[in-house]
Amino acid sequence: LGSLISGLEIADYHYSNYDYFIAVRYYKSVITSKKKLKNKYSNRSYYKSLNYKPDVSAMISLGEYYLDIGTDLKGLEYLVLAVENKSELACLIIGDYYYDKQAFPFAEKYYKLGTKLGCIESTRKLANYYENNVKDIKNMLKYYILAAKNGCEISEKKLEKYRKILSGLWSVY
């Protein structure tokens, strides 16, 4: 397993130095090496002691890279793999991707998944989606409140704005 860790470090190094071709090669080797290891030892009792976990950060890095160069399907493929491994960041990235493409039902789906996994930013963006795209006040408030309870300052400011509007309406009656 030590060589897998160094492979990821090498990939991260090349990615941070804009040598994407080499970085992609190392990220792929880390992912495929772990898959082979899982398949090789999956039915043996000592496999459990290896504590196999897919390398989600490599999947996310590859996904973002492919999205950046315009190979969207390949990028989404790696990001969906990360989502299947409970990555809240991958949910956020895919949600943003679909939101930017104005494929709002898909954006909503991935923001909701991110929210379930505990991603505050996904929760805030879901509230924003309900506020600006669907005009669903109930869900907007629900998700802004949830995000604010988890420490999102932007959501707190939005809620304060709505408190002022609502209190102004009540004073008219």
Side-chain angles (χ1 to χ4, degrees):
L1 289 177
S3 64
L4 295 177
I5 294 170
S6 65
L8 182 59
E9 290 171 351
I10 292 168
D12 287 342
Y13 170 79
H14 286 288
Y15 192 83
S16 66
N17 287 297
Y18 307 103
D19 192 354
Y20 300 121
F21 179 75
I22 293 174
V24 166
R25 191 172 69 210
Y26 276 100
Y27 283 131
K28 284 182 177 179
S29 73
V30 168
I31 292 170
T32 56
S33 295
K34 284 193 170 188
K35 282 182 184 176
K36 287 177 187 173
L37 185 67
K38 179 184 179 188
N39 292 337
K40 181 178 179 181
Y41 296 111
S42 62
N43 295 325
R44 299 190 179 134
S45 61
Y46 59 86
Y47 166 72
K48 292 180 182 177
S49 68
L50 293 175
N51 197 18
Y52 170 78
K53 290 182 183 169
D55 202 309
V56 174
S57 63
M59 293 173 191
I60 291 171
S61 295
L62 276 172
E64 287 184 309
Y65 167 73
Y66 283 119
L67 288 179
D68 287 346
I69 65 169
T71 315
D72 294 2
L73 289 177
K74 195 153 187 104
L76 289 171
E77 179 184 331
Y78 281 105
L79 289 167
V80 167
L81 281 173
V83 168
E84 290 170 356
N85 286 284
K86 309 287 187 236
S87 169
E88 62 185 56
L89 177 58
C91 291
L92 178 63
I93 294 167
I94 295 173
D96 287 347
Y97 170 83
Y98 283 123
Y99 193 90
D100 292 343
K101 299 285 184 188
Q102 297 185 350
F104 298 122
F106 294 109
E108 178 185 22
K109 172 186 173 181
Y110 283 98
Y111 287 149
K112 280 185 177 179
L113 279 171
T115 296
K116 285 180 185 176
L117 293 172
C119 180
I120 297 168
E121 188 64 13
S122 285
T123 308
R124 183 191 68 76
K125 288 188 174 192
L126 187 57
N128 186 64
Y129 163 73
Y130 285 121
E131 178 183 22
N132 296 317
N133 299 89
V134 181
K135 309 295 186 203
D136 180 344
I137 303 291
K138 181 181 173 186
N139 276 318
M140 175 202 69
L141 290 172
K142 172 184 169 181
Y143 288 107
Y144 274 141
I145 289 168
L146 182 59
K149 283 182 179 179
N150 287 299
C152 179
E153 292 179 17
I154 296 170
S155 295
E156 289 175 14
K157 289 177 183 175
K158 286 278 192 172
L159 286 171
E160 188 58 37
K161 173 184 137 184
Y162 282 103
R163 279 187 201 105
K164 288 178 184 177
I165 291 170
L166 291 173
S167 67
L169 288 175
W170 285 113
S171 65
V172 172
Y173 291 101

